């Protein structure tokens, strides 16, 4: 028997109310902040991610699903739902000609070949937003505020915003050399991954979760102490705006994010307990990405959230979500002629806008009523031989068990 591939999940009907709820809250927050929806391909040229997300990142190096299609093209299942793809679309469709910043949001799956565990999957779903074409720190504050308000609107209570600035191409080199200087006496003590990071991508050293690397990373120099004047001013403005919006945040010099495109502001939404590995969302500024992908310079900022993790949070905090409405009427029927009449009646009702389920198969009336009950349908129309002869139905209220016989015409009136 086949099973869903490891790290993927079926979203069965009982889980669907959570998904609809999160999607509705996402659409609502985007309406409030003026973000328009964009839908993007599930796979892209692999080069988009190697260039965009970065060759030295775990996401590209260890987790990306890369394949060659039958035409010999090297493609990748998108390891993030949107950022690099939105930038590609921005360039491809000349969106720089629209008023800047262009504000877009997306919702959909992303694929990472990771070790599956609770809250970590090989196919997960992201809701994310990108604002491209403006470097104003007020936009950073707006995006962080939007992420914050999104989680508040979901009814989640136990999360926090973690903030950092990792500078720009002007000030980062000096910071990286001081980081390497800090690590160089410890290269024998750090984990194997960090030995590679030290050579290839020193910023990632701060991301490490191995116990032996923690004291070294904690004592590492802070990027915020190495920012150039422009980046310092930008970061101070972001913090000042967040203060005036009363968005609580915590600064953490070890927050560098797992993707290479970030410049200046980076942030994460983390659960109060659980920490960085189970982040509910994350994002930041990527002022060089569009240029990196071959376009004229255009700064950008955005964030993405993990829908599965949000749903786990909603379930953990027992946040009530609206149920999806059940059909209004179930049509039970016994015998050939009754089936014929039930089929016609169902169709007539549906054409009038009533949601109807008709019993099929040849189960007893009792079994049909049980099915209606399981489906949460509030009322059942029963058609047997007598009803066919007299052009009537018996309407049963499933809560009170009261029944009333009536002409079909009256039933149609009732459900108009
Ligand atoms: P990311 O932090 O890699 O950022 O992913 C965003 C969110 O997706 C995470 O905070 C987490 O909730 C969820 N997530 C990531 N990996 C998994 C997984 N294996 N299983 C379940 N959930 C997961 C990005 O992807 C950036 N594109 C965010 C961004 C947008 N930056 C700027 N704009």
């Amino acid at each position: 028997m086949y099973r869903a591939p490891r790290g993927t999940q079926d979203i069965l009907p009982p889980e669907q109310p959570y998904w609809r709820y999160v999607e509705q809250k996402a659409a609502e927050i985007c309406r409030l902040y003026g973000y328009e929806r964009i839908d993007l391909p599930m796979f892209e040229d692999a080069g988009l991610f190697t260039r965009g997300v970065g060759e030295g990142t775990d996401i590209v190096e260890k987790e990306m699903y890369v394949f060659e299609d039958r035409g010999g093209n090297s493609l990748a299942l998108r390891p993030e739902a949107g950022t690099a793809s939105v930038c590609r679309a921005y360039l491809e469709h000349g969106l720089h000609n629209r008023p800047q910043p262009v504000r877009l949001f997306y919702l959909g799956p992303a694929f990472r070949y990771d070790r599956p565990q609770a809250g970590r999957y090989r196919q997960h779903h992201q809701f994310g937003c990108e604002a491209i074409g403006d470097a104003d720190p007020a936009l950073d504050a707006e995006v962080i505020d939007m992420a914050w308000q999104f989680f508040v609107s979901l009814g989640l209570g136990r999360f926090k915003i973690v903030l950092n600035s990792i500078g720009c191409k002007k000030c980062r080199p000096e910071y990286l050399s001081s980081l390497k200087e800090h690590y160089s006496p410890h290269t024998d003590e750090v984990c194997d991954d960090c030995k590679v990071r030290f050579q290839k991508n020193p910023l990632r050293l701060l991301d490490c979760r191995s116990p032996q690397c923690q004291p070294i990373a904690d004592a590492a120099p802070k990027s915020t102490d190495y920012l150039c004047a422009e980046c310092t001013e930008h970061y101070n403005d972001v913090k000042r705006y967040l203060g005036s919006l009363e968005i609580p945040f915590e600064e953490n010099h070890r927050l560098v994010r797992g993707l290479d495109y970030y410049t200046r502001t980076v942030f994460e939404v983390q659960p109060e307990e659980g920490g960085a590995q189970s982040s509910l969302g994350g994002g930041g500024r990527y002022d060089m990405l569009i240029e990196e992908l071959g376009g004229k310079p255009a700064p950008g900022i955005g964030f993405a959230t993990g829908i599965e993790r949000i749903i786990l949070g909603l379930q953990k905090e027992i946040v009530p979500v609206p149920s999806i409405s059940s059909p209004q009427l179930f049509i039970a029927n016994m015998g050939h002629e009754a089936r014929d009449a039930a089929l016609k009646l169902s169709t007539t009702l549906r054409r009038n806008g009533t949601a109807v389920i008709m019993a099929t198969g040849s189960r007893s009336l009792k079994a049909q009523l049980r099915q209606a009950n399981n489906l949460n349908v509030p009322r059942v129309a029963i058609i047997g031989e007598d009803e066919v002869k007299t052009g009537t139905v018996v309407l049963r209220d499933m809560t009170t068990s009261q029944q009333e016989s009536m002409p079909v015409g009256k039933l149609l009136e009732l459900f108009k």
Side-chain angles (χ1 to χ4, degrees):
M1 202 174 59
Y2 291 110
R3 304 186 125 254
R6 197 161 127 75
T8 70
Q9 324 186 71
D10 299 311
I11 305 162
L12 296 173
E15 291 282 307
Q16 291 291 342
Y18 287 97
W19 287 80
R20 295 293 87 77
Y21 177 70
V22 176
E23 283 165 15
Q24 273 164 16
K25 293 290 178 191
E28 176 58 9
I29 207 82
C30 289
R31 186 185 70 78
L32 290 172
Y33 287 76
Y35 282 70
E36 294 176 284
R37 178 156 179 153
I38 182 168
D39 287 290
L40 302 149
M42 305 280 171
F43 55 87
E44 298 264 9
D45 222 306
L48 175 67
F49 303 114
T50 3
R51 288 208 76 151
V53 174
E55 224 151 353
T57 59
D58 282 358
I59 293 179
V60 165
E61 216 164 60
K62 301 184 186 160
E63 299 171 6
M64 197 156 76
Y65 284 86
V66 188
F67 62 99
E68 193 181 291
D69 73 2
R70 288 170 192 271
N73 305 299
S74 174
L75 300 168
L77 293 184
R78 58 187 196 194
E80 52 167 15
T83 314
S85 302
V86 166
C87 290
R88 195 252 321 124
Y90 178 92
L91 291 172
E92 189 170 336
H93 305 289
L95 300 186
H96 60 274
N97 292 320
R98 294 200 353 191
Q100 306 291 294
V102 172
R103 291 178 165 90
L104 298 167
F105 83 95
Y106 49 83
L107 246 157
F111 308 87
R112 295 180 186 178
Y113 188 83
D114 211 336
R115 204 162 32 80
Q117 59 183 58
R120 201 203 286 152
Y121 311 100
R122 290 184 176 167
Q123 173 178 288
H124 70 280
H125 294 75
Q126 294 186 352
F127 153 55
C129 298
E130 312 295 340
I132 305 179
D134 203 334
D136 192 330
L139 190 58
D140 302 45
E142 187 191 278
V143 165
I144 296 171
D145 170 52
M146 182 177 175
W148 171 262
Q149 295 303 338
F150 172 58
F151 283 95
V152 170
S153 78
L154 285 164
L156 288 173
R158 297 203 288 268
F159 63 91
K160 61 181 179 191
I161 301 268
V162 182
L163 185 71
N164 193 18
S165 174
I166 53 173
C168 66
K169 74 171 180 208
K170 206 164 90 188
C171 50
R172 192 161 323 149
E174 197 193 329
Y175 173 59
L176 293 183
S177 54
S178 117
L179 196 59
K180 285 191 85 166
E181 210 172 292
H182 168 77
Y183 269 85
S184 53
H186 304 289
T187 43
D188 289 341
E189 299 156 45
V190 295
C191 70
D192 288 345
D193 279 344
C194 278
K195 290 190 174 84
V196 180
R197 290 178 183 130
F198 181 81
Q199 296 301 340
K200 278 174 79 174
N201 201 340
L203 200 60
R204 285 279 93 68
L205 288 163
L206 297 169
D207 237 359
C208 183
R209 303 285 145 211
S210 301
Q212 76 258 42
C213 302
Q214 298 312 301
I216 310 162
D218 284 337
K222 298 181 176 180
S223 53
T224 45
D225 290 334
Y226 290 79
L227 298 179
C228 59
E230 291 86 350
C231 286
T232 305
E233 192 186 343
H234 193 275
Y235 189 45
N236 286 340
D237 283 346
V238 174
K239 288 192 286 183
R240 189 167 49 79
Y241 289 135
L242 288 178
S244 71
L245 293 175
E246 294 179 28
I247 306 289
F249 61 88
E250 191 180 291
E251 290 182 78
N252 186 337
H253 76 281
R254 287 191 54 190
L255 182 73
V256 289
R257 311 269 301 125
L259 307 96
D260 273 353
Y261 46 60
Y262 292 112
T263 49
R264 294 187 166 172
T265 313
V266 286
F267 71 99
E268 268 183 14
V269 183
Q270 294 177 3
E272 288 281 5
E273 65 270 5
Q277 271 187 308
S278 48
S279 73
L280 295 162
R285 199 161 255 299
Y286 44 87
D287 291 346
M288 305 304 295
L289 179 54
I290 294 267
E291 224 177 312
E292 186 68 35
L293 299 176
K296 287 206 203 91
I301 177 158
F303 74 95
T305 65
I307 299 183
E308 285 84 355
R309 290 189 190 174
I310 292 175
I311 291 175
L312 287 172
L314 292 169
Q315 293 170 341
K316 203 164 154 197
E317 293 194 31
I318 322 180
V319 175
V321 301
S323 49
I324 293 173
S325 63
S326 317
Q328 294 153 273
L329 185 68
F330 185 92
I331 303 189
N333 54 89
M334 279 84 56
H336 277 306
E337 284 164 20
R339 169 65 44 86
D340 210 39
L343 197 57
K344 279 190 198 133
L345 180 59
S346 313
T347 298
T348 310
L349 282 159
R350 290 187 194 116
R351 286 185 186 154
N352 289 340
T354 304
V356 175
I357 288 192
M358 186 194 82
T360 50
S362 49
R363 275 163 300 171
S364 66
L365 178 60
K366 204 170 149 200
Q368 294 184 38
L369 291 177
R370 206 176 314 122
Q371 187 190 1
N373 200 38
N374 287 340
L375 291 168
N376 261 330
V377 186
R379 289 192 282 187
V380 178
I382 304 166
I383 308 179
E385 275 172 32
D386 286 352
E387 284 72 28
V388 176
K389 275 189 208 133
T390 52
T392 58
V393 298
V394 172
L395 184 63
R396 180 184 174 94
D397 184 311
M398 293 300 281
T399 346
T400 61
S401 300
Q402 274 181 349
Q403 299 197 161
E404 184 193 344
S405 172
M406 63 181 71
V408 170
K410 186 173 171 198
L411 181 89
L412 292 174
E413 266 312 299
L414 268 181
F415 281 91
K416 244 191 180 148

